[in-house]
Amino acid sequence: EALCLAAVARGELGEAARVLGEGAGTLVGLLDIDLVLLGGRTVAGASEVFVGGVGAVLEDRARRTGDAVVPVRVAGGGVAEGAAQLVLAPVFGRGDG
């Protein structure tokens, strides 16, 4: 997070997205995550840069490991709401999160 925020402070959003993607890739590998949700003001202000940058890192990771590519989306309403949607969607009959 510190490296990502430092890159944002320098105006290097592409680098911030790459660093965030490296962190997400580590978590995907450790925790068997099948969807990455991004949120917050910085992401909302440049969602295409962050989704594309994080997604590119995760695609590269999938090629190296032979694992499936993990999709990246922006959490509607923020990270907490997006996480709640993922947990509650199956309960209410919505399988798409």
Side-chain angles (χ1 to χ4, degrees):
E1 182 179 358
L3 294 174
C4 179
L5 292 176
V8 169
R10 292 190 306 269
E12 299 173 357
L13 296 183
E15 175 64 8
R18 187 196 66 74
V19 168
L20 188 59
E22 293 293 339
T26 299
L27 293 174
V28 164
L30 288 173
L31 303 175
D32 194 28
I33 293 171
D34 57 4
L35 174 65
V36 172
L37 290 175
L38 304 176
R41 289 185 302 259
T42 302
V43 169
S47 59
E48 290 181 14
V49 172
F50 280 93
V51 169
V54 171
V57 173
L58 295 179
E59 286 175 16
D60 183 54
R61 179 192 175 282
R63 275 193 299 278
R64 287 191 326 269
T65 63
D67 294 334
V69 176
V70 175
V72 179
R73 295 192 304 209
V74 174
V79 174
E81 183 179 324
Q85 288 175 11
L86 284 176
V87 172
L88 296 175
V91 174
F92 293 102
R94 289 195 56 211
D96 62 351

